Amino acid sequence: MKKLLVIVAFLFSTAIWANENVTFFYVDGLSCPFCAASIEKEFKKKPPVESVDITLKTGKVVLTLKKDQSITQDEIEKAVKDAGFSVRQEKKKKDNGEKKKE
Amino acid sequence: MNLKWTLFLALTTFFTTSALAIPINTNVALPVAKNRAVVRSQVRGTKVKNQETDFTVPFIIAYGITAKTALIINFSTRISPTNTGLGDIPITVRQTLYQYDVPLLTSRFGLLLGIKLPLGTEPFTSDSTDWRFGGVYTFQHDSHEVDLSTVYSINTEAKGIERGDVLRHDIAYQLRLWPWVYPDHGIPSQLNFDIELNGIYEQKTDVDGTNDLNSGGYRLYLSPGLQWVSKQIILEASILIPIIQSLNGIQTEEDYGFNVGFRMNLP
């Protein structure tokens, strides 16, 4: 019974991730709302991006993408660079690993 | 040299390139995103002893040519008790040469290079094309920010008058008062306390090749202020208290200055 519950829970959580089409990364150098807005605008103008959610405290940027849309790592890095900031390289790789575990 | 004229020149030099967040009277090295613009406007008043207050209303546009190169143009309106007109137009380029980013911390250094075009109206134009160069450094970490800036202005002769060169030096410290700790999610608006030391050294003015002994000198202001910062807009106010006024010859001292204004991220 426990195994069944675990399997159901796993399938359910995977389904949520698949439907949301979410990707995230971390930005370094962000330390004020006015500056964070430029990151938000850079991504909002990109066609695949439906919404942008930034947490100033951690520098985490969560992109919700439109259905069946994707954004490349190069596009992410260019947008952050154009806004005047830097993508956190090591942390990003680690978090991608964490996401896969989820 | 006319005192109001001197004040105007000092103020236009004083505030030319401070269009970017976050200090109120000091230049800053924080970025303007590529192909995006930030606008800033203020009402600045200067109260000189036994005289009515003079006002300057600048409208400053900072445009990101690249993420490291910003173009800053300052259009200003001058309002004195007897005249209203447009000031000369300073145009400045800021090039970021050094950038270090880690979580909640950025450290940046940039060079400033500018020209002031004599496009103002009488009596607010100097009629001279002037040059300026300098550097700006910003260190921002979580609730603290320190900014250092030095700008040297080379003033040229026009109509027999050559204003003395001007050296500005500024240091600013900001402390985030609220929220003291950022929340675990989102981009909160914040309230900053700002304290600055703003110094201006100005050489004597030459009039037809002769030094005007009643011109030039050194002023140092202590400038406390408050700032409300959100994603779209910054509201700010600052008082400039002159703590050193070492002026050559006979010149009237200032009582105080103030400015109230906003900055806005354009869509």
Side-chain angles (χ1 to χ4, degrees):
Chain A
M1 184 63 183
K2 276 185 182 175
K3 281 184 182 174
L4 182 62
L5 284 174
V6 169
I7 291 169
V8 169
F10 175 77
L11 289 174
F12 184 67
S13 64
T14 307
I16 288 173
W17 273 109
N19 285 339
E20 284 192 343
N21 197 12
V22 166
T23 187
F24 67 92
F25 53 92
Y26 288 82
V27 173
D28 284 342
L30 276 183
S31 55
C32 95
F34 203 66
C35 300
S38 60
I39 298 271
E40 197 173 77
K41 288 177 180 179
E42 280 299 318
F43 284 102
K44 275 186 174 172
K45 73 181 182 185
K46 296 204 170 296
V49 175
E50 189 164 282
S51 67
V52 185
D53 186 15
I54 300 175
T55 296
L56 202 51
K57 185 176 182 177
T58 57
K60 186 175 183 179
V61 180
V62 179
L63 303 180
T64 302
L65 304 175
K66 291 170 187 165
K67 193 178 178 183
D68 299 329
Q69 297 281 304
S70 64
I71 188 165
T72 66
Q73 193 59 42
D74 285 347
E75 287 175 311
I76 288 174
E77 292 189 4
K78 184 177 184 309
V80 172
K81 190 178 172 186
D82 284 349
F85 296 93
S86 314
V87 173
R88 197 179 307 169
Q89 295 296 338
E90 292 179 13
K91 182 74 178 172
K92 179 193 63 188
K93 286 171 187 170
K94 185 182 170 187
D95 286 333
N96 281 346
E98 286 172 359
K99 187 182 169 186
K100 282 175 186 171
K101 285 177 190 173
E102 290 171 349
Chain B
M1 172 175 256
N2 181 295
L3 178 62
K4 285 179 181 173
W5 179 234
T6 305
L7 279 173
F8 166 66
L9 296 173
L11 281 168
T12 50
T13 304
F14 197 97
F15 294 107
T16 299
T17 54
S18 52
L20 316 173
I22 296 291
I24 299 174
N25 305 308
T26 299
N27 296 315
V28 68
L30 294 176
V32 180
K34 183 181 176 183
N35 295 329
R36 293 206 171 273
V38 174
V39 296
R40 180 183 195 185
S41 190
Q42 288 182 320
V43 176
R44 300 165 182 161
T46 303
K47 176 69 177 73
V48 178
K49 285 187 192 306
N50 304 318
Q51 293 186 25
E52 291 183 50
T53 304
D54 272 10
F55 294 96
T56 303
V57 183
F59 182 80
I60 302 168
I61 301 171
Y63 178 77
I65 299 170
T66 72
K68 291 186 183 293
T69 309
L71 177 69
I72 303 157
I73 306 176
N74 182 348
F75 305 93
S76 62
T77 301
R78 286 276 296 148
I79 304 164
S80 72
T82 52
N83 290 292
T84 297
L86 299 176
D88 289 339
I89 299 179
I91 300 173
T92 304
V93 172
R94 189 197 62 190
Q95 179 66 44
T96 302
L97 298 181
Y98 166 79
Q99 176 178 345
Y100 174 72
D101 294 334
V102 291
L104 272 181
L105 184 152
T106 188
S107 172
R108 296 163 189 246
F109 173 77
L111 283 182
L112 299 167
L113 186 62
I115 184 172
K116 194 212 63 178
L117 302 174
L119 301 175
T121 55
E122 292 293 344
F124 301 118
T125 176
S126 70
D127 292 316
S128 62
T129 300
D130 303 329
W131 303 89
R132 69 193 64 203
F133 61 90
V136 56
Y137 173 75
T138 291
F139 176 86
Q140 195 179 52
H141 181 217
D142 198 357
S143 57
H144 306 275
E145 180 176 332
V146 174
D147 301 274
L148 305 168
S149 173
T150 300
V151 176
Y152 189 86
S153 299
I154 302 168
N155 295 321
T156 63
E157 184 270 339
K159 296 183 178 176
I161 297 175
E162 183 176 349
R163 292 181 298 111
D165 290 355
V166 176
L167 175 68
R168 278 197 50 87
H169 63 88
D170 304 284
I171 179 168
Y173 170 74
Q174 291 93 51
L175 175 67
R176 190 179 70 232
L177 298 176
W178 184 89
W180 192 250
V181 177
Y182 277 139
D184 290 337
H185 182 259
I187 306 173
S189 297
Q190 64 186 52
L191 179 68
N192 294 338
F193 170 70
D194 176 62
I195 184 86
E196 305 184 24
L197 275 174
N198 310 112
I200 305 173
Y201 170 74
E202 186 174 357
Q203 293 179 328
K204 290 189 180 80
T205 295
D206 273 1
V207 180
D208 295 327
T210 305
N211 263 343
D212 179 355
L213 300 179
N214 299 319
S215 66
Y218 181 69
R219 295 178 200 266
L220 183 66
Y221 302 83
L222 178 67
S223 315
L226 284 173
Q227 207 171 43
W228 174 259
V229 185
S230 70
K231 284 197 294 184
Q232 284 305 321
I233 198 163
I234 295 176
L235 304 175
E236 57 197 2
S238 172
I239 299 173
L240 287 82
I241 305 162
I243 54 176
I244 296 175
Q245 298 193 77
S246 178
L247 307 175
N248 299 323
I250 301 168
Q251 298 183 66
T252 310
E253 293 187 339
E254 292 177 19
D255 284 334
Y256 60 87
F258 63 87
N259 62 56
V260 179
F262 71 92
R263 309 177 211 201
M264 197 162 68
N265 266 321
L266 289 186

